[in-house]
Structures are given as C-alpha cells and as structure tokens.
Amino acid sequence: MLFVAVSLDKPGMLETRLSTRPPHVAWLESLGDTLKLAGPFLGDDGQPLGSLVIIEAPDQAAAEAIFKADPYVAAGLFASTSVRPWRHVFGKLD
C-alpha cells in the first residue's frame, strides 16, 4: 500500500533544512524500492518550505515508523506532518 507524508517546515528553519539535507538524502536513498517519490514544496521565493514523500509500506503503523526515521524529524524541522494512505491512479511513478 502507498502512503504519502506531507510535512510543513516551521518558520525560520531554512538553515536547519539545508544543514540536515545530506543525512535526509542518505535516508531517502536507504529506502530503496520502498521510496516512490520525494521532493520539497517551494515558496514564492523558490525556497523549500515543506516536503512530500511517497512510500510503499504494509500498513499505517509501518509507514509512520519509516517517516519518523527521517533526519528532518530528528532535527525538529517540521511544524506538522500528515501521513495518509494514497491510491495511485494516473501517471507513472517510475
């Protein structure tokens, strides 16, 4: 089953995002085929202000455990994160 995490950054946390990006990218790469899509939301100024990550997991609890391992979470970057099951209908994920 696919799950999407929508996370919004706390205000004023751009430096935290940038300094934590290398371990965040390593975490994404470690997910292998579990990871389907990932990328930042951008503000009007082109700077990142949140994240969208789609993974495959057996259930909600497993998905939440995977998302909690994101180094951005440990760094306290996010003001909020919503994890929901998602059904892919149109377009290609690969």
Side-chain angles (χ1 to χ4, degrees):
M1 176 178 282
L2 296 174
F3 290 86
V4 61
V6 174
S7 302
L8 300 177
D9 295 2
K10 293 175 184 172
M13 296 291 282
L14 180 59
E15 185 55 42
T16 298
R17 174 178 275 275
L18 296 176
S19 66
T20 311
R21 188 171 188 278
H24 168 72
V25 169
W27 169 76
L28 289 169
E29 290 172 344
S30 77
L31 295 176
D33 291 340
T34 297
L35 178 65
K36 301 305 177 190
L37 292 170
F41 294 114
L42 303 176
D44 293 338
D45 60 359
Q47 294 298 319
L49 51 76
S51 297
L52 177 122
V53 180
I54 300 175
I55 63 165
E56 188 167 11
D59 56 39
Q60 182 81 27
E64 289 178 7
I66 290 168
F67 289 126
K68 285 181 184 176
D70 183 346
Y72 281 166
V73 172
L77 176 64
F78 299 133
S80 66
T81 298
S82 173
V83 176
R84 300 193 185 248
W86 181 70
R87 180 178 300 131
H88 174 238
V89 178
F90 295 103
K92 293 188 177 193
L93 292 175
D94 297 313

